[in-house]
Amino acid sequence: MAYLQLQKDLEKLTSSAKLVDAVQDVDDIIDLLTTARDTIAQVGDMHTMSLTLTKLQNPVKEQLEGLNTSLKHVYKAQNEFNKSLRTAFSKVKGLLPTDHDPMASHSALINRAIAMHLLREGQFGVASTFINEAQPQSQTAPTPQPLAQQTPSILQSHMSSFDSPTPTDTIITDADIPSDLTALQSQALQSSFADMYSILSALKAHNLLPAINWARENCIELEARGSNLEFELCKLQYIWLFKGPTVNGLPDTLDNGVHGALQYARNNFGRFQQRHLREIQQLSGAMVYSEDLEYSPYSSIFDISAAFEEVASSFTREFCSLLGLSAESPLYVAATAGALALPQLVKFTSKTRAKGTEWTTANELAFETPLPRSMMYHSIFVCPVSKEQTTDENPPVMLPCGHVLARESLQRLAKGTRYKCPYCPSEGIVKDAKEIIL
């Protein structure tokens, strides 16, 4: 529960502790000072200089007070989050050993994860600066100009031209991304993430058209993956139009409201009939209840309170999959999983140190890490005979009788080429056991 509350406090921090207002106050002060300087330089009169400086005092004072107020909000939010951190980790007593850092030899991998995280978040300028500073001086070479520096606003350029060709046809798999950080500054890679970031920004503003256009451009790849993203986007666009201008805020024209939704369905739902006929029929049947939709049999379908967040998550997952990347940032997942495991790891380390014992099994923890289901990416199998987790070298095998155990356990049970199942009277030949993949 403490970690769920911590996540809520983190969301509150990111929404309230922003330096945008403080930066604007500083810019206003700079503008005031610059204007006063130019005025004094042009006139050169002592009386005018004195008058200009006198008039400057009150505006600068007001801006400084506004700056202090903005910073107070930021400091307050940071202090509240600091208290939440202390509460969440109040039970963490002890220290982890620092004599050996298992990641010390993987600094390049860590830097690469950080750079990729920044690119995924659309922080292209920060990513470029980080890459330049993280690279050893001997390896630093002239690199392409970062995409964030090519235009005044990366979002404006992409939001205004979604019809321009995108590099999404080029598959950028995890293996294709080199360990050399300077290669991450490629314009193709940055442009791919810029497209994703701008489309997500449009979805946040309830503008589905950029995402629908992207899904249509990549419909072949999406259908090959069995994805329903394009239909889900078109379905949400239909519902969004159906609700009319009082809800969607779009112009009150024939292209909006029930008439606009019907026309949109005629133009776009035809190609989805083979796979989604039932859902299309339900969406069309709701036309009859357009005046009293809330109490109709279709009210649950038209409840889109969380629809835009869900479709944004689906879009991110599919976009990253086509690039050969995971839907979530590996750096975020690793940091979150480490924070969840930290209390138990510290407790285990303290106990073993107090008893003078040591866990010697490599690449395996002595306890179960309490990770959420969203962070469990593959199934595991523990052999019921040896009580050990199976590995690639010691995979699980299924006997003809249906029981499963580790291959090494089967070999230890076997007498020559034959064995007896440890859980039933069945007997068989070792070569008849089939390796299974979880």
Side-chain angles (χ1 to χ4, degrees):
M1 291 298 294
Y3 296 112
L4 293 177
Q5 183 60 40
L6 183 62
Q7 187 174 7
K8 294 180 181 178
D9 293 337
L10 178 59
E11 293 175 356
K12 182 180 178 181
L13 173 67
T14 55
S15 61
S16 60
K18 296 182 178 179
L19 291 171
V20 177
D21 294 336
V23 172
Q24 184 61 48
D25 291 334
V26 172
D27 289 339
D28 292 341
I29 293 174
I30 293 174
D31 291 339
L32 288 172
L33 295 175
T34 303
T35 303
R37 182 196 62 186
D38 295 341
T39 301
I40 294 172
Q42 290 176 0
V43 177
D45 186 347
M46 293 298 296
H47 176 70
T48 304
M49 181 188 303
S50 177
L51 184 61
T52 302
L53 293 177
T54 302
K55 292 181 178 180
L56 187 63
Q57 291 179 1
N58 289 335
V60 170
K61 183 179 179 181
E62 292 176 359
Q63 292 295 339
L64 288 174
E65 290 176 352
L67 174 61
N68 289 330
T69 302
S70 301
L71 292 177
K72 283 180 181 178
H73 291 309
V74 175
Y75 293 148
K76 181 180 179 181
Q78 291 177 344
N79 290 333
E80 290 177 353
F81 184 68
N82 185 38
K83 293 178 182 178
S84 301
L85 281 175
R86 293 180 181 276
T87 302
F89 294 99
S90 59
K91 296 182 180 180
V92 180
K93 297 180 180 179
L95 298 173
L96 291 174
T98 57
D99 52 344
H100 173 63
D101 182 5
M103 297 300 294
S105 59
H106 301 287
S107 59
L109 184 63
I110 296 174
N111 290 339
R112 178 173 173 270
I114 295 173
M116 284 298 298
H117 178 79
L118 293 172
L119 289 174
R120 294 171 70 111
E121 294 297 315
Q123 301 291 336
F124 307 112
V126 179
S128 179
T129 301
F130 172 80
I131 291 171
N132 289 333
E133 294 186 1
Q135 283 289 97
Q137 292 298 322
S138 58
Q139 298 180 16
T140 303
T143 56
Q145 185 182 11
L147 189 63
Q149 298 177 5
Q150 294 177 8
T151 59
S153 172
I154 185 67
L155 283 180
Q156 291 179 1
S157 62
H158 283 272
M159 292 290 286
S160 61
S161 56
F162 280 103
D163 296 332
S164 60
T166 62
T168 51
D169 293 335
T170 304
I171 302 300
I172 307 173
T173 63
D174 215 23
D176 294 332
I177 301 175
S179 58
D180 182 11
L181 289 180
T182 56
L184 296 183
Q185 291 177 299
S186 68
Q187 295 181 11
L189 182 61
Q190 291 188 11
S191 182
S192 295
F193 285 118
D195 288 339
M196 183 184 76
Y197 187 74
S198 58
I199 293 175
L200 287 175
S201 298
L203 288 175
K204 188 176 181 180
H206 294 175
N207 180 8
L208 292 158
L209 296 181
I212 293 174
N213 292 337
W214 179 87
R216 286 175 178 167
E217 292 174 1
N218 297 274
C219 61
I220 297 177
E221 293 84 352
L222 292 174
E223 290 177 1
R225 289 174 43 81
S227 172
N228 297 326
L229 178 62
E230 185 181 0
F231 175 72
E232 292 299 327
L233 289 167
C234 290
K235 172 184 173 182
L236 184 56
Q237 178 69 3
Y238 170 87
I239 296 174
W240 192 237
L241 292 174
F242 191 99
K243 290 183 174 292
T246 57
V247 175
N248 58 37
L250 298 175
D252 189 4
T253 63
L254 292 177
D255 294 330
N256 197 3
V258 177
H259 183 275
L262 179 61
Q263 188 63 38
Y264 184 83
R266 288 173 176 171
N267 295 336
N268 295 276
F269 281 173
R271 58 192 301 265
F272 300 114
Q273 288 185 11
Q274 184 174 358
R275 293 177 59 184
H276 305 283
L277 180 60
R278 178 63 176 169
E279 292 181 75
I280 294 174
Q281 290 174 338
Q282 292 176 336
L283 293 171
S284 302
M287 291 282 181
V288 181
Y289 299 90
S290 59
E291 299 297 331
D292 199 13
L293 188 62
E294 183 179 356
Y295 301 100
S296 72
Y298 307 102
S299 58
S300 59
I301 300 176
F302 282 75
D303 180 12
I304 58 172
S305 55
F308 282 93
E309 290 78 6
E310 292 173 357
V311 81
S313 177
S314 298
F315 166 76
T316 302
R317 181 170 60 253
E318 297 298 342
F319 192 102
C320 291
S321 296
L322 293 188
L323 290 179
L325 303 172
S326 58
E328 292 185 342
S329 166
L331 180 65
Y332 169 80
V333 174
T336 304
L340 293 174
L342 182 61
Q344 284 188 281
L345 185 59
V346 171
K347 182 179 179 181
F348 170 76
T349 304
S350 302
K351 294 283 186 182
T352 54
R353 185 180 297 171
K355 293 182 179 180
T357 58
E358 194 174 309
W359 181 255
T360 57
T361 303
N363 300 323
E364 185 178 339
L365 289 175
F367 56 87
E368 191 73 20
T369 305
L371 295 179
R373 183 175 296 274
S374 60
M375 291 186 179
M376 297 180 182
Y377 301 102
H378 58 83
S379 303
I380 62 173
F381 177 76
V382 177
C383 177
V385 176
S386 64
K387 311 299 182 186
E388 295 178 350
Q389 184 175 319
T390 54
T391 62
D392 292 339
E393 294 74 21
N394 181 28
V397 293
M398 177 179 287
L399 308 181
C401 60
H403 291 106
V404 181
L405 61 155
R407 177 186 290 168
E408 293 180 358
S409 298
L410 176 62
Q411 293 173 348
R412 286 194 292 266
L413 291 171
K415 296 180 179 179
T417 59
R418 299 189 62 83
Y419 69 89
K420 179 184 179 303
C421 177
Y423 293 99
C424 69
S426 300
E427 296 185 5
I429 302 175
V430 174
K431 67 177 183 178
D432 291 338
K434 302 294 184 180
E435 179 179 335
I436 61 175
I437 300 174
L438 299 176

